[in-house]
Amino acid sequence: MKSLYVTLLSFGLAATLPGHGFAQTMAQKVACKDDAKKFCQGVQPGNGRMLVSLAPHKEQLSEACHLVIERNGH
């Protein structure tokens, strides 16, 4: 649970800081790393392809990754 809290906190802070798009992307990667391995094998990262790949599996994702998908409109 602590790691979920840290991930969500990192994502929240990164999302609120202007000019920190890289940090937000890193938080998204951390939040969805295991889910991407499970659901997005063979998907080339970049240009939102991982988020699009994960979206159909939203109900099966970890809490942190589910939040990332929700916040990105998928």
Side-chain angles (χ1 to χ4, degrees):
M1 187 63 164
K2 183 179 178 182
S3 63
L4 173 62
Y5 176 75
V6 170
T7 300
L8 293 176
L9 180 62
S10 297
F11 180 75
L13 290 175
T16 60
L17 297 174
H20 287 81
F22 177 75
Q24 184 177 7
T25 300
M26 288 303 293
Q28 290 173 345
K29 287 179 182 180
V30 169
C32 294
K33 180 180 176 182
D34 292 334
D35 295 305
K37 285 181 183 177
K38 183 175 180 179
F39 297 112
C40 303
Q41 293 180 358
V43 175
Q44 179 69 33
N47 295 322
R49 287 186 288 268
M50 296 304 277
L51 294 174
V52 170
S53 176
L54 288 166
H57 307 284
K58 191 168 23 178
E59 299 305 319
Q60 300 166 318
L61 301 175
S62 64
E63 289 181 52
C65 189
H66 188 273
L67 182 60
V68 168
I69 299 300
E70 289 284 317
R71 287 189 173 182
N72 282 279
H74 293 282

